[in-house]
């Protein structure tokens, strides 16, 4: 008995002395940061979630060194209020200078924001996508061009019309990228649809049609002015485009930037493979077997360090059991098959993590990796939190009104309620909606990359984390300490600033300056080689949801600060390799594009890293070309609660040396 008590006491002492895990981030409050921005949204009789279905999608956030003082500044967009600009004063403290910067403009429902140096003068500008010509929302996209930096404050002038970019539509987000590789930045505008556009029906009816407000747009930069080339480009620009997510990357490693568009509702996502000369081809069905159904924020990055860009898209599958049961889930099997017959592809209501196999195919592994269910999610950001050389995943979360609540859907589908909605006689003040559409705040999600395509949720290591309705998000090194902090734009709450507290691992900061026409070197690729390992990053500012960050690139190095070499592939596909680079005390390297560099050989890169295997079908040659024909019995009609049909596993097979002649025989059981 005494021995047992002794060991119990010893175990207690050991557990008490266990070293407490340090937090990875801490959430700073407005008093600490000086950022008091709130995207305040209040529904009215005329404007609410029933009159505009994306009423609670929230705003974006942008990051960049706006006054060239070496510190990253922030801009937030507001849906109903004023957009705000904050200058970084150091030590994670900011000062709002919107009025001094001539940025306190009123009017318009602002969504996404894109940082760019539009006139190549070394001062950052930004473009805001707005909603226009929809009921009583009358916005127009805006381009704020920096005129000067006066007393440390950038001063802007709205000049969208001067560049041909004063677009009116249902704007979500824009991207400035040299798509045609002619040395200047072209333009892609992601728009979203609304249910009033006649957006239901067979998909083929909508293909090759054009909608002036909902359709996505592509513009070519011609001598500094933007020319609409949408109809010639191969970009879908019809009423089906419920565009919420936008990401850019060289998916097939051929030197040309490609586009991924995440579409909400029934419309397919788009994977535009760049064909060159401003032409694109949607290759999603060839490259991917299935996608998210309600695709929102997307991101492209090489998270498994095999140099092939991977992709994540977010959906609305909750991780909590109660919320799963409250929410509308997958389509019933009949509707699922009906959509396939209407020309829509395989889509499932959960996050998708698409691993690039390096042979123009992807494997979707979100459930295997543990990141398939994060609830009503908006921004997805691949970034290395702890500088260990592996990209982790951040997800911003929350919506004010859960329109997929099954009780609400049953109530609102009533014909009388639908008539009231159409006549603007029904809004969120209805007493019955208090319980049917409750406000459920949820936490943002942090996932740590453990390697081998496995992620651990690490929300327990976020000091002071709070539930929220967080939408747009970016990462940037706000305090110049070598690790990446995170910023979110929240609905009806102050913006979140997560300070990164990681210690022990070093990082490399890479600052690139491109040639004339693309001074910020957007579209560059960087490979670093370190002790037999390779990391790969692409420089594209637009990431997450309605957000962008034009900042230096960071690589986590772990505990080993020795770098064997760095290869930079510039946007024009010339390259240079820096062997045993000399780094300053802040682990920073600055590189400027030089004339006369050789072109990069992408085929050699693919050959070096590709692990694809070639197989040949010889079934007919050896007499085993047996085909199993399945019937169309729908088992869900009989057992609605089963997770998968049990009657369709296919034929059984067994292999054995039946006649003991030393050769394997094959037995097929066809049923």
């Amino acid at each position: 008995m005494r021995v047992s008590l002794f060991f119990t006491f010893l175990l207690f002492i050991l557990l008490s002395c266990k070293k407490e895990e340090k937090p990875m981030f801490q959430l700073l409050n407005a008093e600490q940061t000086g950022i008091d921005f709130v995207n305040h949204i209040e529904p009215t009789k005329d404007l609410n979630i029933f009159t505009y279905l994306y009423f609670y999608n929230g705003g974006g956030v942008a990051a960049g060194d706006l006054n060239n003082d070496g510190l990253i500044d922030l801009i937030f967009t507001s849906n109903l209020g004023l957009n705000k600009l904050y200058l970084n004063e150091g030590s994670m403290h900011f000062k709002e200078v919107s009025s001094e910067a001539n940025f306190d403009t009123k009017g318009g429902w602002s969504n996404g924001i894109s940082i760019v140096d539009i006139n190549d003068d070394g001062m950052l500008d930004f473009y805001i996508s707005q909603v226009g010509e929809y009921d009583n929302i009358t916005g127009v996209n805006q381009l704020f061009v920096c005129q000067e930096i006066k007393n440390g404050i950038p001063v802007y002038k709205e000049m969208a019309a001067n560049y041909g970019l004063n677009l009116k539509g249902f704007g979500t987000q824009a991207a400035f990228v040299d798509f045609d590789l002619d040395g200047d930045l072209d333009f892609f505008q992601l728009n979203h649809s609304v249910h009033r556009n006649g957006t239901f029906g067979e998909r083929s009816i909508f293909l090759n049609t054009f909608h002036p407000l909902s359709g996505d747009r592509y513009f070519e930069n011609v001598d500094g002015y933007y020319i609409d080339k949408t109809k010639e480009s191969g970009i879908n620009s019809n009423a089906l485009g419920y565009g919420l997510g936008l990401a850019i990357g060289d998916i097939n490693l051929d030197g040309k930037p490609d586009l991924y568009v995440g579409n909400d509702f029934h419309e397919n996502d788009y994977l535009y493979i760049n064909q060159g000369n401003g032409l694109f081809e949607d290759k999603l069905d060839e490259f991917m077997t299935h996608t998210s159904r309600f695709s929102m924020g997307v991101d492209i990055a090489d998270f498994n360090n095999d140099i092939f860009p991977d992709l994540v898209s977010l959906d609305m599958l909750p991780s909590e059991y109660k919320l799963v049961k409250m929410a509308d889930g997958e389509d019933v099997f009949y509707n699922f098959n009906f959509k396939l017959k209407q020309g829509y592809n395989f889509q499932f209501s959960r996050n998708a993590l698409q691993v690039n196999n390096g042979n123009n195919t992807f494997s979707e592994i979100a459930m295997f990796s543990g990141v398939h269910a994060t609830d009503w999610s908006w921004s997805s950001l691949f970034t290395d939190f702890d500088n260990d050389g592996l990209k982790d995943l951040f997800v911003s979360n929350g919506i004010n009104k859960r329109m997929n609540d099954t009780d609400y859907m049953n109530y609102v589908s009533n014909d009388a309620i639908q008539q009231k909605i159409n006549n603007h006689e029904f809004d969120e003040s209805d007493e019955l909606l208090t319980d049917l559409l409750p406000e459920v705040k949820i936490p943002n999600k942090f996932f740590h990359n453990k390697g081998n395509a496995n992620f651990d949720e690490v929300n327990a290591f976020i000091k002071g984390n709070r539930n929220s309705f967080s939408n747009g998000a970016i990462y940037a090194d706000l305090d110049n300490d070598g690790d990446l902090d995170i910023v979110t734009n929240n609905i009806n709450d102050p913006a979140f600033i997560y300070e990164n507290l990681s210690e022990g691992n070093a990082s490399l900061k890479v600052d690139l300056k491109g040639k004339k026409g693309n001074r910020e070197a957007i579209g560059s690729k960087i490979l670093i080689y370190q002790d037999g390992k390779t990391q790969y990053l692409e420089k594209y500012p637009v990431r997450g949801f309605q957000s962008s960050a034009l900042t230096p690139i960071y690589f986590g190095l772990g505990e080993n600060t020795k770098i064997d070499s760095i290869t930079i592939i510039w946007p024009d596909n010339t390259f240079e390799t820096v062997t045993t680079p000399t780094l300053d005390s802040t682990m920073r390297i600055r590189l400027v594009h030089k004339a006369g560099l050789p072109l990069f050989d992408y085929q050699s890169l693919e050959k070096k890293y590709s692990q694809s295997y070639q197989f040949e079908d010889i079934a007919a040659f050896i007499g085993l070309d047996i085909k199993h024909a399945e019937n169309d019995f729908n088992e869900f009609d009989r057992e609605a609660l089963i997770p998968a049909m049990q009657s369709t596993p296919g034929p059984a097979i067994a292999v054995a040396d039946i006649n003991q002649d030393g050769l394997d025989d094959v037995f097929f059981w066809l049923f």
Side-chain angles (χ1 to χ4, degrees):
M1 183 67 177
R2 290 182 177 179
V3 174
S4 177
L5 289 173
F6 171 77
F7 280 109
T8 301
F9 176 74
L10 180 62
L11 179 62
F12 173 78
I13 294 295
L14 291 174
L15 291 175
S16 300
C17 295
K18 183 180 178 181
K19 185 178 180 181
E20 184 178 351
E21 292 279 359
K22 291 184 178 180
M24 298 180 64
F25 287 87
Q26 68 173 342
L27 179 60
L28 305 179
N29 57 43
E31 289 73 23
Q32 293 171 290
T33 65
I35 295 178
D36 56 359
F37 175 84
V38 177
N39 183 19
H40 185 72
I41 296 179
E42 187 70 32
T44 65
K45 197 81 172 179
D46 294 323
L47 185 58
N48 52 66
I49 199 168
F50 302 107
T51 60
Y52 177 48
L53 61 90
Y54 288 141
F55 186 75
Y56 288 117
N57 281 26
V61 55
D65 186 358
L66 302 178
N67 58 354
N68 291 334
D69 66 349
L71 297 170
I72 301 300
D73 311 301
L74 299 172
I75 311 171
F76 297 88
T77 64
S78 175
N79 301 133
L80 290 172
L82 297 179
N83 305 318
K84 296 292 183 180
L85 187 154
Y86 292 83
L87 291 184
N88 192 335
E89 297 183 306
S91 302
M92 301 294 284
H93 193 271
F94 294 78
K95 179 182 179 182
E96 200 240 308
V97 295
S98 305
S99 296
E100 297 93 321
N102 193 32
F103 184 52
D104 56 347
T105 54
K106 297 181 179 180
W109 181 287
S110 296
N111 285 322
I113 178 169
S114 301
I115 295 281
V116 64
D117 185 357
I118 191 74
N119 54 2
D120 218 34
D121 64 353
M123 297 183 292
L124 294 181
D125 318 300
F126 50 92
Y127 187 83
I128 295 177
S129 299
Q130 292 199 331
V131 177
E133 297 193 11
Y134 182 75
D135 285 355
N136 58 339
I137 305 176
T138 57
V140 58
N141 291 4
Q142 300 172 321
L143 173 64
F144 290 89
V145 180
C146 187
Q147 305 299 299
E148 62 175 334
I149 298 176
K150 186 176 181 180
N151 298 324
I153 298 175
V155 180
Y156 294 92
K157 180 180 180 181
E158 201 290 304
M159 300 181 66
N162 298 65
Y163 289 84
L165 295 177
N166 53 330
L167 309 181
K168 289 185 179 181
F170 306 148
T172 302
Q173 177 74 334
F176 293 87
V177 177
D178 185 8
F179 288 110
D180 56 9
L181 302 182
D182 66 351
D184 52 29
L185 297 176
D186 307 302
F187 174 84
F188 180 86
Q189 175 67 50
L190 178 68
N191 291 325
H192 59 267
S193 193
V194 292
H195 286 340
R196 299 184 191 178
N197 287 339
T199 54
F200 299 96
E202 188 174 339
R203 190 167 187 264
S204 61
I205 297 173
F206 296 91
L207 297 179
N208 300 316
T209 64
F210 181 84
H211 195 283
L213 300 176
S214 295
D216 300 334
R217 309 282 290 276
Y218 173 75
F219 286 71
E220 181 185 354
N221 186 338
V222 180
D223 298 327
Y225 192 83
Y226 287 85
I227 308 297
D228 192 340
K229 298 283 187 175
T230 306
K231 294 181 179 179
E232 302 95 320
S233 67
I235 296 294
N236 291 315
S237 189
N238 55 60
L240 281 182
Y242 288 90
L244 296 184
L246 176 62
I248 300 99
D250 188 357
I251 292 293
N252 56 349
L253 287 183
D254 65 351
K256 298 186 289 290
D258 308 306
L259 280 159
Y260 190 94
V261 170
N263 282 312
D264 201 358
F265 297 107
H266 49 283
E267 174 59 331
N268 302 342
D269 290 357
Y270 308 139
L271 175 57
Y272 291 118
I273 300 300
N274 194 334
Q275 306 298 303
N277 299 317
L279 302 177
F280 299 86
E281 190 172 347
D282 183 6
K283 295 277 192 178
L284 187 128
D285 287 341
E286 296 179 31
F287 282 46
M288 297 178 179
T289 57
H290 62 267
T291 66
S292 301
R293 179 176 165 200
F294 302 98
S295 297
M296 292 186 278
V298 296
D299 196 14
I300 293 175
D302 173 25
F303 80 87
N304 57 357
N305 288 347
D306 65 353
I307 70 95
F308 295 105
D310 311 301
L311 184 140
V312 62
S313 62
L314 300 182
D315 208 290
M316 304 184 301
L317 178 65
S319 56
E320 293 186 17
Y321 180 80
K322 179 181 178 181
L323 292 176
V324 170
K325 295 305 179 184
M326 291 171 59
D328 181 42
E330 299 287 359
D331 283 328
V332 296
F333 195 61
Y334 171 82
N335 287 342
F336 184 85
N337 282 332
F338 177 76
K339 288 181 180 180
L340 294 178
K341 293 175 182 178
Q342 294 291 299
Y344 302 98
N345 59 10
F346 291 91
Q347 303 174 49
F348 299 98
S349 300
R350 60 175 185 262
N351 299 345
L353 181 59
Q354 307 278 3
V355 176
N356 192 334
N357 297 318
N359 57 358
N360 292 342
T361 67
F362 286 78
S363 297
E364 201 284 296
I365 63 165
M367 296 184 74
F368 169 82
S369 298
V371 297
H372 65 291
T374 55
D375 213 295
W376 207 304
S377 304
W378 300 103
S379 288
S380 55
L381 297 173
F382 276 126
T383 181
D384 190 352
F385 295 153
D386 55 355
N387 290 329
D388 66 350
L390 294 172
K391 298 177 187 67
D392 310 300
L393 179 64
F394 171 80
V395 175
S396 67
N397 263 329
I399 191 166
N400 299 58
K401 304 296 182 182
R402 291 176 173 266
M403 305 294 282
N404 65 343
D405 183 276
T406 52
D407 291 335
Y408 159 76
M409 293 177 69
N410 290 332
Y411 171 74
V412 81
S413 60
N414 179 277
D415 289 341
I417 299 299
Q418 285 295 309
Q419 187 63 43
K420 284 186 176 182
I421 292 174
N422 293 334
N423 295 336
H424 286 202
E425 299 172 355
F426 185 82
D427 64 19
E428 297 173 47
S429 64
D430 190 286
E431 293 181 1
L432 288 172
L433 294 180
T434 303
D435 294 325
L436 294 176
L437 284 176
E439 292 195 356
V440 182
K441 289 185 176 181
I442 54 179
N444 297 322
K445 298 280 190 178
F446 294 77
F447 293 93
H448 183 249
N449 189 340
K450 300 189 301 179
N452 297 319
N454 284 300
F455 290 82
D456 265 347
E457 186 177 332
V458 290
N459 274 28
F461 302 111
I462 312 303
K463 185 178 180 180
N465 199 17
R466 295 193 290 115
N467 296 347
S468 62
F469 304 126
S470 296
N471 312 103
I474 59 91
Y475 56 79
D477 186 3
L478 300 178
D479 50 3
N480 284 342
D481 65 349
D483 52 37
L484 294 169
D485 312 296
I486 294 176
V487 183
T488 70
N489 189 339
N490 302 333
I491 291 178
N492 295 340
D493 269 323
F496 281 175
I497 310 294
Y498 292 99
E499 181 184 6
N500 194 324
L501 302 178
S502 62
E503 298 176 351
N505 292 326
S507 66
L508 171 68
K509 181 179 181 180
V510 182
D511 199 355
L512 301 177
K513 291 301 175 187
K515 61 182 182 180
K516 184 179 180 181
N518 185 6
R519 181 186 177 95
E520 292 297 324
I522 293 172
S524 297
K525 306 175 178 73
I526 306 175
L527 297 102
I528 68 167
Y529 302 93
Q530 183 188 30
D531 194 24
K533 299 177 181 178
T534 306
Q535 291 189 57
Y536 171 79
L537 278 173
E538 299 176 309
K539 186 177 182 179
Y540 291 107
V542 171
R543 296 191 181 278
F545 176 70
Q546 297 187 164
S547 302
S548 66
L550 194 47
T551 64
I553 296 172
Y554 282 78
F555 288 91
L557 302 177
E559 297 179 355
N560 179 16
T561 60
K562 184 179 182 299
I563 298 171
D564 300 323
S565 65
I566 304 174
T567 295
I568 299 91
I569 308 171
W570 295 95
D572 61 359
N573 288 316
T574 61
F575 82 101
E576 59 184 299
T577 296
V578 181
T579 57
T580 57
T582 301
L583 307 175
D584 61 24
S585 59
T586 61
M587 293 296 291
R588 176 173 183 169
I589 184 171
R590 295 179 175 88
L591 295 166
V592 179
H593 185 276
K594 301 185 290 289
L597 294 174
L599 287 174
F600 187 77
D601 181 6
Y602 284 94
Q603 289 187 344
S604 67
L605 189 68
E606 288 198 70
K607 288 178 182 177
K608 181 177 179 180
Y609 290 96
S610 179
Q611 297 183 13
S612 59
Y613 301 95
Q614 300 297 321
F615 292 89
E616 181 183 358
D617 184 0
I618 61 170
F621 177 75
I622 62 176
L624 290 178
D625 53 336
I626 299 169
K627 183 178 181 180
H628 170 75
E630 188 63 72
N631 59 34
D632 59 357
F633 173 68
N634 182 6
E635 196 172 350
F636 293 118
D637 288 342
R638 186 176 66 182
E639 298 286 349
L641 297 180
I642 57 175
M645 285 197 285
Q646 304 300 305
S647 60
T648 58
I653 184 173
V655 178
D657 184 4
I658 301 296
N659 56 358
Q660 297 183 355
D661 62 354
L663 299 173
D664 285 335
D665 306 302
V666 182
F667 175 79
F668 286 95
W669 180 27
L670 304 179
F671 56 90

